[in-house]
Amino acid sequence: MTTLLTIVLILGLSVLFTASLRMIGRDGISGSVSAPQQRPVLGGGDPGTHAWQRFHVRYYTMTLLFVAFEMEMMFMYPWAVVFIQEGAKALVEMGMFLAILSVGIVYGWREGIFRWE
């Protein structure tokens, strides 16, 4: 019973505290807020664009490069352990894998992964 009473008391105090903060925030501490206080602060200038303006995210090519190198490392560590046992077969498999990976890296290079923008 005391646990339920404690939970209800904490919930009631939090609702009361939130309501009082909303009332203070709506009217301001000293009453109404003046027009310069309502403007966003940007060093004294008006913003050139809207705050919710969309901007293009260009992380696709960098993600392609990351996945290529990550897959290389994930395949090369176990391959190094098996290479001693398998011999030439493992060497051919790794060569094919690196050839396919190289095609992906060359494609990414052509798309401009390595250009700094």
Side-chain angles (χ1 to χ4, degrees):
M1 183 65 183
T2 59
T3 307
L4 181 63
L5 185 62
T6 305
I7 291 173
V8 169
L9 182 65
I10 290 173
L11 184 64
L13 286 174
S14 64
V15 168
L16 182 67
F17 183 70
T18 304
S20 64
L21 285 178
R22 284 182 158 253
M23 285 180 26
I24 289 173
R26 188 177 307 131
D27 297 332
I29 294 176
S30 64
S32 64
V33 179
S34 64
Q37 290 176 342
Q38 292 177 350
R39 296 189 59 194
V41 177
L42 284 176
D46 288 329
T49 59
H50 193 270
W52 289 99
Q53 177 186 4
R54 300 181 123 200
F55 54 93
H56 190 65
V57 179
R58 300 170 197 242
Y59 59 82
Y60 173 74
T61 53
M62 192 58 74
T63 304
L64 178 69
L65 182 68
F66 172 75
V67 167
F69 283 115
E70 188 69 23
M71 289 306 296
E72 176 185 6
M73 286 298 110
M74 286 177 59
F75 191 59
M76 283 182 118
Y77 282 133
W79 173 80
V81 173
V82 174
F83 175 68
I84 301 298
Q85 298 168 355
E86 295 293 322
K89 179 183 172 192
L91 187 63
V92 170
E93 288 176 355
M94 181 53 72
M96 289 183 345
F97 175 73
L98 290 177
I100 293 169
L101 184 69
S102 297
V103 169
I105 291 174
V106 168
Y107 169 75
W109 191 332
R110 196 181 77 204
E111 290 294 316
I113 287 178
F114 300 110
R115 272 187 298 220
W116 187 265
E117 292 182 9

